[in-house]
Structures are given as structure tokens and as C-alpha cells.
Amino acid sequence: MAMPNRPSAPWYIVVADDRGHEWAPLMRTSDEPVPVQYARFGGSTTLLQRALGRATRIAPASQVMVTVLEEYRDLWEPSLWFVRPEHRFVCEGRAESTLTAAAAVLKIAADSPSNVVIIAPGRVHVRQEAVLAAALDNALATLPSVREGTLTLAMIDAEDGVDEDYLLLERSSFCPGLRVLGVARRPNTWVAHHLRQQGALIASGIMIGYAGVFAAHVSRQWPGLTRQLNQAATTAAAASTECELSMRLNLSMPRPTPASLRWHAPTLKQRAFCVEGCGWSGLRSARAVARTHDYHSTLTKMRSQAGLASELLGIPDVATVLSDLTLVEGCRQHESSDQSNVLEEGI
């Protein structure tokens, strides 16, 4: 059930310990491979740093939480300088990665069930940040009218997604958005094509909802887990230290529980809202990572050639014009006046 009143600033959880293809292709021959969320892909910032930037645009730094893996501490710790220690949820291994986000949600719900929470992956690539930012703002504004109390963003782009998850959707005239029936996990190419023809959209993994709804989902799956995770978060907050979740906690759980704790329909009822043209990639496979790497390599090469042509011909705007071409950027540019139409109620 939707809660009518929400605080002016939501909480934001950046999930940087989720499972997936771990190693980015080499940016230069001298580079060591790094987990995808720590790759830069042609920019000066890593994917994790860009995700943190999205978080701080929406939520105050004091309300940003991050889930991370202990084994990559040297890669994430410098970027989390502004995140309070007790808001860092650290797991020993990948098997506990589902529990960190659950612990973060329970801590927020303990403060107030009506707190609004955004749970967003940190290992994604977005070409048009302004489009995604507008969609997040509109989703927050729409949430009070969503009776399920949770919603997700579904992506529509000019290019077909590579190795993405797909949301199975159904129209409804009683609520804004589309009802999510379930998730197809990385279907093969022909199945994905068939799903798109039937109206399925790419699952972003971005969840927006009330902390109380998320906490109830965790409690329904295993009440004992709620108590243990709350205790871990409370202990960390009292000592102003990181909330560390050990392998022993995961071993004490029934086998089906980690999978059921994911924020997926039908176990978690939710609505989907469409986002068009943000250039989304979930980077869920080596092929998807390689495609993003190739895109940036081509873009860098073309910009370099444009800069040389500009210097030789004395035309200072060549590089700027070339960088704005649809062929280079991969999706059409959106005027700021159209941003209100980014988050649609249906297809």
C-alpha cells in the first residue's frame, strides 16, 4: 500500500556488490583488469563514481548508503570518503551480496517506514545522464499514487539491449504505469526479440519505494533474517563503524532465501515506468562490457580525428559537432523541454 507522505529527501542505496560479469576489458595494455564498476570507459570517473554522483544529486550525502565487497576495498574506499562508515554495508563474499541491500533497507525502515528509498545498481553504463535524472525525479513525484508502494524503471532504447534482463508487463487502467508480472533473466537473442515484440522492456534494476514495503518483503521471506540484519546495522551505528556481514550469516539461511530476497515480481509487487533514450546498459555479460568498451574506443578515435581536422582546417567546431552526431552518441538527443515526457505511463 502506498504511503501518502514522503520526506523531502529520499534515501539512496548504491548496490556495488551485485553479481555479474566481473572483469572489464583492458583500457590500455598496461592496465590490470578491474571489476566493471571500477572501470572508466573513456571518462575520468569510474562507473561507481558516476553512480555515487546520481545518488548525491537526489539525496543528501548523509542519506547515501553503499553495498560493497571486502576484497575490493582498495578500489572502492577512496570513492566513499563522504559516506558515513555505518552507511557502508560490507560483505565478505559474493554469496552475502543480497543481504547487504536488505540490511540497508531495514536500517532505513527502522528510522521510518514512510522513508522513500531508491535502490540502484552501481555497475551500469548510461550515455544520457540527463534523461535518467529526469526519470528518477518523475518517479519520485509519481510514487505516492502507486498503490503497491514500489516501482521500477523499464528502459527503451534505439539499440537492442545485449544480455539484459526483461520485465514482463501488463497494462492496467487503475494505476499509473504497467504492472510487472515477472522477470526473464538474460534470455537468448531470439527469445529476447520475441519478448520485445510482446511488449517486454529492459529491466534496469532501479527500485523506488517506501522503506516499510521493502522491509516487509524481507520479513516475509525469513523473519529471523530481519532480526539478525537489524542487530548488525544497530551495532555498526552505535560504534560508527562499517556494517560487516559475515559468511556465517549466509550459511545460517535456508537455501532459497537469497534468491527470494531480490526485489523482483511477483514476490514483490511493483509497477514499471518507461524511460526512453538514456542509452542504458546493465553490463550483465562480457559481451555487453566489450560492446560498451568498443563504443568508447570508437568515440575517442573519432573525436581525435575531428580534433586533428579542426586544427588543420582551422574549424574549431568540428569536434563539437561530431561528438553530437546520433551515430556517435548512440541515441538521439532530447531537448530539455521534452524531459517531462521521459517517464511515461505505458508503451
Side-chain angles (χ1 to χ4, degrees), residues 18-135:
D18 58 330
R19 294 185 179 186
H21 177 70
E22 277 302 315
W23 302 106
L26 299 182
M27 301 298 112
R28 296 182 299 274
T29 56
S30 59
D31 287 343
E32 292 294 327
V34 296
V36 165
Q37 53 266 48
Y38 306 113
R40 299 183 185 276
F41 288 115
S44 60
T45 56
T46 65
L47 297 184
L48 174 60
Q49 290 169 340
R50 295 174 206 178
L52 293 170
R54 293 180 206 118
T56 54
R57 189 194 68 83
I58 292 176
S62 61
Q63 292 180 199
V64 173
M65 297 181 170
V66 186
T67 69
V68 287
L69 282 164
E70 175 62 41
E71 63 181 301
Y72 299 127
R73 177 177 289 273
D74 60 326
L75 295 175
W76 55 256
E77 194 167 37
S79 299
L80 303 191
W81 60 269
F82 69 94
V83 179
R84 293 179 178 179
E86 63 270 25
H87 289 172
R88 305 174 187 178
F89 294 80
V90 185
C91 55
E92 291 182 356
R94 297 177 192 177
E96 296 79 49
S97 62
T98 307
L99 303 182
T100 50
V105 163
L106 291 171
K107 178 176 174 57
I108 297 169
D111 175 68
S112 173
S114 64
N115 282 332
V116 173
V117 184
I118 299 174
I119 306 173
R123 52 178 299 131
V124 300
H125 182 261
V126 179
R127 296 183 187 178
Q128 300 292 336
E129 290 284 355
V131 175
L132 180 57

Side-chain angles (χ1 to χ4, degrees), residues 285-296:
S285 69
R287 183 170 62 162
V289 173
R291 181 175 178 176
T292 300
H293 174 248
D294 292 344
Y295 161 79
H296 280 287

Side-chain angles (χ1 to χ4, degrees), residues 279-322:
W280 176 274
S281 175
L283 302 177
R284 298 181 184 276
S285 69
R287 183 170 62 162
V289 173
R291 181 175 178 176
T292 300
H293 174 248
D294 292 344
Y295 161 79
H296 280 287
S297 295
T298 302
L299 183 62
T300 300
K301 181 178 179 180
M302 295 183 73
R303 282 176 172 167
S304 176
Q305 293 173 345
L308 179 61
S310 175
E311 182 179 349
L312 293 176
L313 300 175
I315 306 175
D317 293 330
V318 170
T320 301
V321 172
L322 186 57

